[in-house]
Structures are given as C-alpha cells and as structure tokens.
Amino acid sequence: MGTKVKTQAGPYDAPYAAGEGAESQFKTHYIEYSPRSAHLVLARNVERSVVDLRLATACSLAHQLGSVKCDCGTQLRMAQKQLAQTDNGAMMIYSLGEDHEGRGAGELNHVRAYVLQHRERIDTVTSYKGLGIDVDPRNYGQQVHIMRKFALHERKRKVRVLTNNPGKVLPLKEAGFNAEQLLLNAPITKFNYGQLLSRQTGLGHTFKDDLSSISVEGAIKLRTNGELDNVDYSVNPDIVGENGTRYGPFPLPYAIDGNDEGRIQELDTYYYIIDERMYFVLHRLGAPPTSSAEVETMSACLPGHVLGSTLCTCRTKLKKVMQGMDPNSPEKSPVLIFALGYYDRQANLKPDEVLAHVRGDADRRELRPDHPHAKIILEHMGVRDPQTFSE
Ligand SMILES: [Zn+2]
Ligand SMILES: [Zn+2]
C-alpha cells in the first residue's frame, strides 16, 4: 500500500458517545490513499508526551451493526471508552476500504469466510485458509505515515497501543516509535469464545489467560485446522434476479442496545450482493417477514453507526430497529435492509459519502425503500406490501 495521500479533509470538530460515560470531543480527519484505502483519524490532545492509540480496521458486521460473533465491536467500544477517559493524548485511526475490511480480506471474501464459519462451524483462521485468503496481510504502513504527520515519532514521546495484537505494535517499533502494548481484555462470552481462541492460537494475539484451558458455558466449539474432516469450502450463493446473489440466513448475535452491557439477541442475517453492492438484511430470529412487514432501509454511517457521532441520529435509529426485532417486544417485527455505504460498483470508496457523514450533513436514509435493490430484496423475501417502520 502506497503512502501518497490522494484526498485529505478536516479537521472537523465532532462529538462522539461511544457508550455510557464515554462522551468525548475529537478532531476528525479524513485521509484517503487510494480507492481501496482510507482512514478516519480521531485526535485529542495529541501534542501530549504520551498518546493512547487504537488502530482499528473495518469489520463491517461488528462495527456497523453490533454483531458480537467476533470481538471486533467490543474491542472498538472498549478502546473508545479508554480514549474518551484518558488524560494522555488520544488517537483512533479507523481504516476502511477493501484493503482493511476483515483483516485485509475485502468485503466479499469476508462474507464468504463468514458463510463458511457458520455452515461448517470452523474458526476464522481455518475459513480464511480454506478459501485461500491471507490470514492477516495488514502492514500498517499508512497508519505509520499518519502517525508521523502528527509527530508521534519524535524523541521522548510514547505511544501506548490499545490492542491484543502484537502485530499492531511491532510495525510501529520497527518504524522508530516508542510504542508499547496495552491489553484490552474484552469479556469472554459464549458468543465470542471461539473467535478469541482462534485469535490466540491461530493469530498469536496476547490474552491474560490461556483460553484453551477455560471452559465457557454454552460456547460452541469451533473446529480448527488440526481436526478437520470433509469441509466443503465452496460457498455457492443463491441466485437473486439477474445480477444478484444471497447467502443466508445465519443466526448471528447482536448487541441490540448498541453496547455490550445491554441485551444480546440472535437475529437472522442475510448477505445480498446486487450489482456488486452489498446489503445486510436482518429480521427476528426464526420469524420470516410477512408480506406486509415493516421495513427500514438505511445506509451505513461511519461516524454514527461505527464511532457513535452524535451529529446525526443514525445510531439511535438503528438501535430502535434492532430492539424491535427482539422477541420480547412482540408488537414489532421490522426487517432491516442495511447498505454498506462506502463502496461503489467496483468496491471503491466514495469519499463524498463518508465525508457527508463525518460533517453530520448526510441524509440518514440514503437507501430509500423504493431503491431498485431494496425492491429486489423485498420481492425475493416475499414482502409485497412493505410498511414504513414506525418507532
Ligand atoms: Zn470482526
Ligand atoms: Zn450518520
């Protein structure tokens, strides 16, 4: 990945509320290197001698919709909380685009790996290897470039990297930063245990415990490389219309209150790819939508959905829809069609769209119910008379 900046914007002053007690103001910069790679940089007091840093790379399902099948969302929220509360300088570099999504696998490969993990009950490393995808090719060269712009490499400065991944600290040390690792201890749950174990044994991440010696009630034991038999690595999707495909449904656990301390609810999840645009479709577990189901359509908002910007209402709106899918609120059963908003047909970034959300002047319902793709999805799901979702 090159280090020549193509587009740069900001700083914009923006408020973020990444959870209870984690409200904070950050200067937000957008730095794009290529149509496959851009970074949102949140910075506060970065002139201080010690700077706490989180390097996050996109995991759409976890970061945008709050899936807790992996710990990516939990880690992001924990790091944000620490960055909001620290007296040191604070910096988050959130990297998005095909070069970053899913540890650098890209959108489509990430989804194919997810499908395999569900269908075959295998862990993330095994699914990547089976598909012939590099398990973790990220090199952080652009992030290093950005950190130098903020003079974090200067003498007598220290960078504390909030991460369990030593692979995020070593490249900084090699680039001359005085960097040290600060562990993030995400709570181990029955939902993320398999993923955490895979990170420890397969990816060499650091945890305070030996996870293989821990038993977690209700956790599904994922098969790993050493114990595989007859895994079918083909992930053929269903065909949808002329230019569409669909994978799913898969039951996935979500933090439907938008934070990890809230309710976790499994929801049926589909991945639709139409004309090379990707959509996540969610509805109540085991309850296929009726022909007159309530439908909410929206596009991903990076600052709102992912980072908790309060300049827009995207996060609040999403939370209401997700909570409506909880079987304990039976008066509602909405269907959510959620467009990954940052990519065009060739899976390239759309900076204008990202920036509109950064500034808080984007239209939250960019994906309209009458969008041709939304129509195709609804038709395919048998929703012939969609109703507007009422909160
Ligand atoms: Zn993830
Ligand atoms: Zn928004």
Side-chain angles (χ1 to χ4, degrees):
M1 284 190 277
T3 50
K4 198 162 173 293
V5 173
K6 183 168 159 276
T7 309
Q8 186 160 353
Y12 304 96
D13 259 316
Y16 296 88
E20 293 296 313
E23 295 80 13
S24 193
Q25 194 84 15
F26 284 92
K27 290 201 184 314
T28 307
H29 306 250
Y30 175 83
I31 303 173
E32 184 185 325
Y33 290 88
S34 81
R36 297 170 55 91
S37 176
H39 311 265
L40 213 59
V41 183
L42 274 56
R44 198 185 68 246
N45 298 332
V46 285
E47 69 292 343
R48 294 196 178 159
S49 59
V50 180
V51 172
D52 293 351
L53 169 79
R54 172 68 181 175
L55 300 177
T57 62
C59 172
S60 290
L61 211 56
H63 291 156
Q64 295 173 20
L65 289 172
S67 158
V68 292
K69 176 188 154 338
C70 55
D71 62 328
C72 302
T74 310
Q75 294 243 358
L76 182 70
R77 291 184 284 271
M78 285 177 73
Q80 278 189 284
K81 216 166 200 171
Q82 291 194 32
L83 293 181
Q85 292 168 355
T86 186
D87 290 326
N88 297 325
M91 181 181 272
M92 156 89 67
I93 304 180
Y94 189 92
S95 307
L96 66 149
E98 283 289 282
D99 288 343
H100 304 287
E101 172 73 32
R103 295 195 304 271
E107 271 304 334
L108 182 56
N109 277 337
H110 199 198
V111 161
R112 292 167 72 222
Y114 255 87
V115 172
L116 266 182
Q117 288 163 39
H118 278 288
R119 208 185 55 199
E120 306 284 348
R121 302 226 153 161
I122 56 180
D123 73 332
T124 174
V125 173
T126 308
S127 69
Y128 274 44
K129 284 182 180 164
L131 287 166
I133 307 167
D134 262 352
V135 168
D136 190 352
R138 295 172 295 180
N139 68 24
Y140 306 99
Q142 291 173 351
Q143 288 91 332
V144 161
H145 189 243
I146 291 168
M147 289 168 66
R148 286 217 176 94
K149 282 171 174 287
F150 285 91
L152 297 186
H153 60 293
E154 284 175 355
R155 260 168 58 83
K156 296 196 177 148
R157 305 201 70 185
K158 187 197 271 187
V159 181
R160 306 197 308 166
V161 192
L162 308 174
T163 184
N164 292 341
N165 180 2
K168 285 183 177 174
V169 187
L170 193 61
L172 304 190
K173 285 185 173 162
E174 285 173 353
F177 293 88
N178 178 12
E180 67 179 37
Q181 185 176 4
L182 209 62
L183 287 189
L184 280 173
N185 295 305
I188 301 166
T189 69
K190 64 177 181 180
F191 301 112
N192 69 19
Y193 175 71
Q195 177 81 359
L196 294 179
L197 185 61
S198 172
R199 289 190 196 279
Q200 186 171 57
T201 57
L203 296 170
H205 291 193
T206 321
F207 291 87
K208 66 178 174 24
D209 303 305
D210 172 11
L211 298 179
S212 60
S213 67
I214 288 176
S215 81
V216 178
E217 204 184 321
I220 293 166
K221 174 95 175 68
L222 299 177
R223 298 188 293 160
T224 63
N225 252 354
E227 51 191 4
L228 291 184
D229 46 3
N230 307 325
V231 170
D232 175 7
Y233 284 108
S234 60
V235 279
N236 299 325
D238 302 324
I239 303 301
V240 178
E242 282 179 27
N243 292 313
T245 53
R246 179 185 85 167
Y247 302 91
F250 302 103
L252 282 183
Y254 294 89
I256 59 169
D257 295 319
N259 66 71
D260 300 85
E261 290 84 44
R263 284 169 289 174
I264 306 294
Q265 180 62 51
E266 281 193 296
L267 302 172
D268 275 334
T269 306
Y270 303 83
Y271 313 111
Y272 278 88
I273 301 156
I274 302 171
D275 293 338
E276 296 179 47
R277 291 295 302 252
M278 193 168 303
Y279 301 89
F280 297 140
V281 179
L282 276 64
H283 65 68
R284 178 174 296 171
L285 186 71
T290 61
S291 77
S292 59
E294 286 192 4
V295 175
E296 176 65 34
T297 53
M298 63 175 85
S299 297
C301 164
L302 176 58
H305 293 143
V306 177
L307 299 170
S309 165
T310 51
L311 285 179
C312 55
T313 56
C314 298
R315 193 165 170 130
T316 315
K317 179 74 187 176
L318 176 64
K319 193 165 88 176
K320 288 202 169 121
V321 183
M322 304 275 286
Q323 289 172 336
M325 296 182 216
D326 187 336
N328 299 314
S329 49
E331 69 280 8
K332 298 246 175 275
S333 189
V335 181
L336 172 66
I337 302 179
F338 189 89
L340 289 195
Y342 318 128
Y343 305 95
D344 69 12
R345 284 172 55 91
Q346 268 69 50
N348 288 339
L349 286 163
K350 297 164 78 177
D352 290 349
E353 221 163 89
V354 177
L355 278 171
H357 282 288
V358 171
R359 293 185 304 259
D361 56 17
D363 176 356
R364 127 177 105 68
R365 298 185 48 135
E366 280 161 3
L367 179 69
R368 306 270 169 196
D370 60 354
H371 187 284
H373 292 174
K375 282 183 160 172
I376 289 171
I377 291 169
L378 290 172
E379 167 87 0
H380 191 246
M381 299 189 82
V383 181
R384 293 186 208 298
D385 182 25
Q387 306 296 307
T388 309
F389 173 67
S390 55
E391 292 168 17

